[in-house]
Amino acid sequence: MQKWSSTSEETAAVEAEIKGIEAWWQSDRQKHIKRPYSAKSIAALRNVGVKIEYPSSVQGRKLWKLLNEHNKNGSYEITFGTTEPLIVKEMAKHLQTVYVSGALCGLSQAAWPGADHADYPSDLVPSVVKRIFNSQLWHDQRQTQMRLRYSEADRADLECIDYMTPIVADCDMGFGTLTGCMKTVRSFVEAGVAMIHIDDLALGLKKFTNGEGRTIVPTSEYLNRLTTARMTFDIMGADTMLLCRCDSDHAEFITSVIDPRDHPYVLGATNPDVETFVEALEAGKAKGQDYLTVKAEWKNKATLTTFDDAVNAAASSEEQYAAYLNEVAGRIVSLRERRAIAKKCLDGKDVYFDWEVPRLPLGQYMWQWSTKQVIDRAILAAPLGDVTWSRQDKPNKKDMHDFHGEVRKVFPDRLFAFGYVGAYDFVKAGYSQEEFENFPQDIAKMGCVWQFKVQPIWATQGLSLHAKQFAEKFKKEGIAGYMRDVAGPSAAQMATDKFGEPTARGDYLADAFFDVVAGLEITDAVE
Ligand SMILES: C[C@](O)(C(=O)O)[C@H](CC(=O)O)C(=O)O
């Protein structure tokens, strides 16, 4: 059977598809996004003539509206992570979103648990999203059924919860290859997610355990990941939101120096007599020294700096360095070109700088993070996504202010996320108790409209504490203690239907299915 009756019918269908995409990209939800490709290219990647509306689009638009309202009002949404649908149901009574964390999925949902290395199968987090989303649908459905057993007047006194809280989920580094990233993003959309975050961390090198900063990928690779996610949404016609997470804050390594935009921040040895870092590690190991000590000593010996700082040190006057800076300012200048400019400004002197010598056993280059670099990356990424987040290991007033302020100079209405990660100690970081308490409201004014709690993870700390306390008590007091302290208070706060049945179990939904099949009317039968 032929799909099209003629090629002209096919051409007309493709043209209509292109027009549809162009009109969609002008909608309020889409118009801030800048794509490096045309609607025509996307049409050519679509199932032309097969229109699927994904629930993820509905949830994406809902979240977009919610966050923009917060942005207008200077208010915010704050939430936390869980992988458990029954907890999401309770959260819906007070919170407007829910987070599905990769770290938590890796710890509690993977076949083999582990720390947060984003090393679990790529469909793990989407599968948790799917389970939560399905359960949201089910609770919404059973609530509809229960409510429609009452008259309109009686419904006014009944609990009526919006269970369809948009789900924000962790897409880590997009799971590697371009096609791998496309498949993962597609699984999230199919699962019903409202927003995913994608970061600039290096695949396979995510570690928080070794006392070092993280490894990031070149700017170009980060932008490719985000473009891949955007392209996948566009192919699917999905309004799913994209959160551009940037991990450059306090990063210590970068996988490659292929992108000249990164060159000003790569560290090189300026001591020509130093051995390579790998050689130093081997020698240190033979002497029984630990890795971090060897690294600190070697960095000192190598006099590691950025190329610009090496030029500054080699210049014989402030004027020479100023002339160099003047030539490299405000544009992308590769190391090769920087060397030539430096030589010219320093009267023919070569600046010794070697970024190969510091490379790690796994090949990474050493990296000098700075707020400016994080800002530069976030600004480049912003047009591909809907929300921006710079993941910070520690809260820092100046960085918070500079980062959000500078990004907003370029994108005045930018929406930001803020993750409470890394066991933040606000008081140690210089916040007064009052500033700490007002922190969520204060950063909302900078545009941080979606805030979420990750480390320490409530799902491990809070639930563990509760489970431990309950286990101890249950052993001591058994079912009598359970009835008194759990069943009793729980039943007292649980909504019930007019027959005294707890509404959340949804037995009436099952009954309703049977009744409808049996030809009974289920909306007014109990009036
Ligand atoms: C937000 C995060 O991606 C997560 O998986 O929850 C983690 C949290 C953490 O391990 O601190 C991250 O920040 O990478």
Side-chain angles (χ1 to χ4, degrees):
M1 182 71 188
Q2 291 286 322
K3 178 169 176 182
W4 307 108
S5 60
S6 65
T7 48
S8 60
E9 188 196 15
E10 181 185 25
T11 305
V14 172
E15 274 164 11
E17 194 84 28
I18 297 170
K19 282 212 174 73
I21 296 170
E22 283 168 349
W24 176 49
W25 286 355
Q26 289 312 311
S27 65
D28 274 354
R29 164 70 194 91
Q30 294 286 330
K31 64 176 188 245
H32 62 285
I33 297 162
K34 304 267 170 305
R35 286 127 169 128
Y37 47 74
S38 66
K40 200 169 160 192
S41 301
I42 295 300
L45 294 170
R46 275 189 171 186
N47 301 101
V48 174
V50 184
K51 180 106 189 96
I52 301 172
E53 169 82 354
Y54 292 94
S56 178
S57 276
V58 177
Q59 295 302 84
R61 286 194 291 269
K62 182 172 182 176
L63 183 60
W64 176 248
K65 186 162 169 260
L66 178 83
L67 298 187
N68 276 291
E69 268 162 21
H70 278 309
N71 205 21
K72 225 184 295 149
N73 302 332
S75 53
Y76 62 96
E77 156 67 358
I78 190 163
T79 192
F80 56 92
T82 182
T83 53
E84 173 50 58
L86 291 176
I87 287 178
V88 176
K89 176 192 132 238
E90 296 306 322
M91 288 170 74
K93 295 173 184 167
H94 301 280
L95 305 176
Q96 295 171 302
T97 57
V98 58
Y99 180 55
V100 178
S101 139
L104 184 59
C105 286
L107 195 59
S108 76
Q109 304 295 306
W112 191 254
D116 186 17
H117 303 305
D119 57 356
Y120 37 76
S122 62
D123 62 353
L124 181 69
V125 184
S127 72
V128 172
V129 170
K130 176 101 193 116
R131 214 152 34 82
I132 292 177
F133 184 72
N134 287 351
S135 116
Q136 291 179 315
L137 286 175
W138 186 83
H139 282 292
D140 183 68
Q141 187 186 13
R142 62 135 188 93
Q143 177 173 261
T144 305
Q145 213 301 296
M146 189 264 293
R147 291 179 63 77
L148 294 187
R149 286 152 48 111
Y150 290 78
S151 69
E152 194 178 322
D154 285 349
R155 282 205 301 273
D157 301 326
L158 284 181
E159 188 179 79
C160 184
I161 308 290
D162 180 2
Y163 286 111
M164 303 306 297
T165 42
I167 304 168
V168 180
D170 189 348
C171 188
D172 290 289
M173 308 103 191
F175 282 89
T177 64
L178 194 147
T179 52
C181 181
M182 285 179 67
K183 288 177 191 171
T184 308
V185 170
R186 178 172 275 276
S187 311
F188 272 116
V189 173
E190 285 170 350
V193 82
M195 175 161 79
I196 53 170
H197 62 75
I198 293 192
D199 59 52
D200 58 348
L201 287 169
L203 199 76
L205 294 175
K206 184 172 183 179
K207 267 201 221 166
F208 293 107
T209 46
N210 54 357
E212 292 191 293
R214 290 174 302 278
T215 300
I216 53 168
V217 293
T219 302
S220 50
E221 192 172 335
Y222 176 43
L223 299 182
N224 275 345
R225 287 176 183 174
L226 296 172
T227 308
T228 303
R230 178 58 61 198
M231 176 186 74
T232 308
F233 291 161
D234 285 343
I235 293 170
M236 299 178 83
D239 270 321
T240 316
M241 289 178 69
L242 181 59
L243 164 50
C244 311
R245 161 173 165 171
C246 185
D247 272 64
S248 300
D249 187 290
H250 286 89
E252 219 179 316
F253 313 108
I254 186 162
T255 51
S256 141
V257 289
I258 198 64
D259 190 333
R261 286 172 288 199
D262 298 322
H263 289 187
Y265 310 107
V266 180
L267 290 168
T270 56
N271 171 4
D273 300 321
V274 77
E275 73 277 33
T276 67
F277 177 52
V278 172
E279 286 163 354
L281 280 178
E282 285 304 317
K285 217 191 309 170
K287 281 191 272 172
Q289 281 184 301
D290 73 278
Y291 171 84
L292 290 178
T293 310
V294 178
K295 190 172 93 176
E297 283 174 6
W298 183 86
K299 279 176 100 168
N300 227 356
K301 196 156 97 189
T303 2
L304 275 195
T305 63
T306 60
F307 183 73
D308 289 2
D309 285 346
V311 175
N312 194 9
S316 42
S317 68
E318 275 180 20
E319 289 71 35
Q320 280 189 345
Y321 184 53
Y324 166 82
L325 284 185
N326 191 36
E327 285 208 37
V328 298
R331 63 192 183 95
I332 301 167
V333 187
S334 69
L335 179 67
R336 200 169 56 80
E337 203 189 333
R338 279 172 196 270
R339 280 193 194 282
I341 296 170
K343 191 165 180 170
K344 191 180 77 188
C345 298
L346 270 57
D347 297 332
K349 186 172 172 187
D350 276 317
V351 175
Y352 183 82
F353 174 87
D354 188 343
W355 64 21
E356 295 295 323
V357 172
R359 289 181 74 177
L360 272 73
L362 291 177
Q364 302 106 300
Y365 292 78
M366 292 197 184
W367 178 255
Q368 180 58 61
W369 86 274
S370 70
T371 310
K372 176 172 178 335
Q373 176 267 316
V374 184
I375 293 166
D376 287 353
R377 242 180 211 218
I379 288 174
L380 284 168
L384 292 164
D386 305 292
V387 183
T388 293
W389 168 33
S390 166
R391 185 199 185 280
Q392 299 176 354
D393 286 340
K394 299 181 188 86
N396 179 307
K397 276 189 211 172
K398 184 166 169 6
D399 291 355
M400 284 296 292
H401 179 268
D402 291 354
F403 176 77
H404 297 98
E406 289 302 312
V407 175
R408 282 209 145 178
K409 275 188 194 156
V410 185
F411 305 104
D413 296 324
R414 191 67 187 172
L415 304 176
F416 294 98
F418 185 80
Y420 294 87
V421 294
Y424 281 0
D425 186 333
F426 282 83
V427 176
K428 238 196 212 152
Y431 287 82
S432 67
Q433 185 62 25
E434 196 188 345
E435 283 172 329
F436 173 36
E437 280 163 25
N438 293 334
F439 185 82
Q441 294 93 290
D442 288 346
I443 64 169
K445 310 265 176 321
M446 301 177 187
C448 295
V449 288
W450 189 70
Q451 303 180 22
F452 65 118
K453 170 89 194 78
V454 187
Q455 296 286 10
I457 302 179
W458 169 80
T460 53
Q461 272 193 325
L463 288 183
S464 304
L465 184 69
H466 181 77
K468 197 165 130 285
Q469 289 169 341
F470 175 68
E472 194 184 356
K473 207 163 178 182
F474 196 56
K475 184 164 169 102
K476 238 192 259 153
E477 302 189 33
I479 194 68
Y482 180 87
M483 295 311 284
R484 186 190 64 230
D485 294 338
V486 181
S490 161
Q493 57 98 53
M494 197 177 279
T496 50
D497 67 13
K498 62 182 177 191
F499 313 105
E501 292 295 326
T503 54
R505 256 186 18 211
D507 296 1
Y508 43 85
L509 182 61
D511 291 344
F513 294 140
F514 281 91
D515 289 348
V516 170
V517 171
L520 298 174
E521 178 51 66
I522 59 165
T523 58
D524 59 6
V526 295
E527 286 300 313

